[in-house]
Amino acid sequence: MFAKDLISTIIPTVESTDSGNKVLGWMDFYKVSHLPIVKDHEYIGLISETEIYNLDCGDQEIGSFNLSVMRPFVYEMQHLWEVVALFSKFRLSVVPVLDERESFVGTISLTDFSTVFSKLTSADQIGSIIVLEIGVRDYSLTEISRIVEENDAKVLSVSIGSRNDTTLIDVTLKL
């Protein structure tokens, strides 16, 4: 699945002529803490709820302030794992999506993403969850799958988490 497949059609974009109160109203309504600033399909950056409060812009246009916006984004053909990385790295509530010419295409909201991610990982399916603690050198997905299937179960999803300062990993199976 690619970023373009996750774009929300309802998250608005901010223009420099929008007032701080208007942008805060949108953030409250859409339950996000970031919104993309866009001018003629050019992505300027993300403005955060915190920055608007810190600037105390209220009824003034946000473009009249010296904004220190961050500029994270993904291209529309990037994989959803790269979207996850941006949500996590920058603690975002939305991720902007650009095309190959770097024109703004749309926004992925964390809420919409979590719904899709739940389906992709089979989290919304009935089943059991097993967490295995395995040495990195002993890990074999083939062997784990063979054991599961020999016991009349099916692997719906697998995730692996590493542990700091150890050679062990946690293999989480959704069966």
Side-chain angles (χ1 to χ4, degrees), residues 3-4 8 13 15-16 27 31 37 39 55 77 90 92 104-105 127-128 136 138 147 149 157 159 162 164 170:
K4 68 177 184 158
S8 172
T13 60
E15 295 180 12
S16 60
M27 288 177 174
K31 306 294 185 238
I37 302 172
K39 181 178 182 181
L55 291 172
M77 293 308 293
F90 295 105
L92 299 175
F104 180 80
V105 177
S128 298
V136 172
D138 298 325
I147 293 168
E149 291 179 3
S157 179
S159 66
S162 60
N164 294 337
D170 289 327

Side-chain angles (χ1 to χ4, degrees), residues 66-84:
N66 186 16
L67 301 173
S68 60
V69 295
M70 56 182 162
R71 203 169 181 278
F73 65 89
V74 292
Y75 291 106
E76 59 186 346
M77 293 308 293
Q78 283 184 269
H79 194 270
L80 77 107
W81 296 126
E82 294 173 273
V83 176
V84 171

Side-chain angles (χ1 to χ4, degrees), residues 146-153:
R146 184 188 61 74
I147 293 168
V148 168
E149 291 179 3
E150 280 180 357
N151 287 283
D152 297 323

Side-chain angles (χ1 to χ4, degrees), residues 88-137:
S88 176
K89 181 178 181 180
F90 295 105
R91 298 184 180 264
L92 299 175
S93 57
V94 298
V95 170
V97 181
L98 308 182
D99 66 15
E100 66 279 351
R101 292 182 308 260
E102 297 204 3
S103 294
F104 180 80
V105 177
T107 307
I108 301 170
S109 76
L110 184 57
T111 304
D112 290 342
F113 179 81
S114 64
T115 302
V116 169
F117 193 74
S118 174
K119 290 180 193 297
L120 288 174
T121 60
S122 299
D124 60 345
Q125 298 292 314
I126 295 173
S128 298
I129 298 171
I130 298 174
V131 180
L132 306 171
E133 182 180 276
I134 301 175
V136 172
R137 291 179 172 223

